[in-house]
Amino acid sequence: EWIPKKLEKQIMIFNKSTNKKLGLVSCYINVKNNKNGKIISKYNKFYKGDVIDRIINGNFIYTSSSVLTKLSILKEVGTFDNNLKTSDDWDMWIRISEKGYDFTFIPEYLLNYYTHKDNVCYGKNNFSKSSEFVYFFEKNKNIFIKNKSLMVGYNLYLNKKYVDSRK
């Protein structure tokens, strides 16, 4: 649920920015219980600027519904990868960041995200132990290696290559 003026405020950030490499604008998020609408938590963990070193080690963007990016950037990097069910957004953020685009956010709670026990991200499948993780890792492997991501060691660990994972 977008708070009134969310989109307007995000567009204003793009329009007023002198940063030609601004690629993504997000915002703070209220996480609410789907049954009663009460706030469970408030999500405000974001990073600004060149975030490649952060985004390759974990998706700090809580939900794609908090994000605004330009169509021209999506044409350049591609949209959601349909082979990914749970991390298609993270994959896209990596691609946007890898192309040198900066991220920013509006430090206001402009989105209500309703959650319940059947949300994809809370499901029984653990992404890090799934075949989807293997696909995600292989697809982004060169980016992970180039940027010295912890994901390289984690993937080696999952494949029982313990000595190499420590390196």
Side-chain angles (χ1 to χ4, degrees), residues 34-109:
N34 193 47
K35 289 184 180 179
N36 60 23
K38 290 185 180 180
I39 294 175
I40 299 169
S41 64
K42 291 184 169 280
Y43 189 82
N44 56 17
K45 181 182 177 183
F46 288 98
Y47 301 96
K48 288 183 173 183
D50 180 358
V51 299
I52 189 68
D53 60 330
R54 299 240 184 224
I55 201 72
I56 60 171
N57 288 308
N59 188 2
F60 59 81
I61 298 176
Y62 195 86
T63 177
S64 58
S65 54
S66 70
V67 169
L68 185 68
T69 191
K70 296 177 181 178
L71 180 59
S72 60
I73 293 170
L74 294 178
K75 286 181 178 179
E76 180 182 350
V77 304
T79 58
F80 295 115
D81 182 336
N82 291 329
N83 294 308
L84 295 167
K85 293 178 183 164
T86 61
S87 295
D88 52 345
D89 58 344
W90 185 18
D91 173 68
M92 188 166 35
W93 313 149
I94 289 170
R95 286 183 275 130
I96 291 171
S97 183
E98 172 64 12
K99 290 289 186 180
Y101 290 103
D102 290 338
F103 289 22
T104 196
F105 64 95
I106 299 170
E108 296 178 42
Y109 293 91

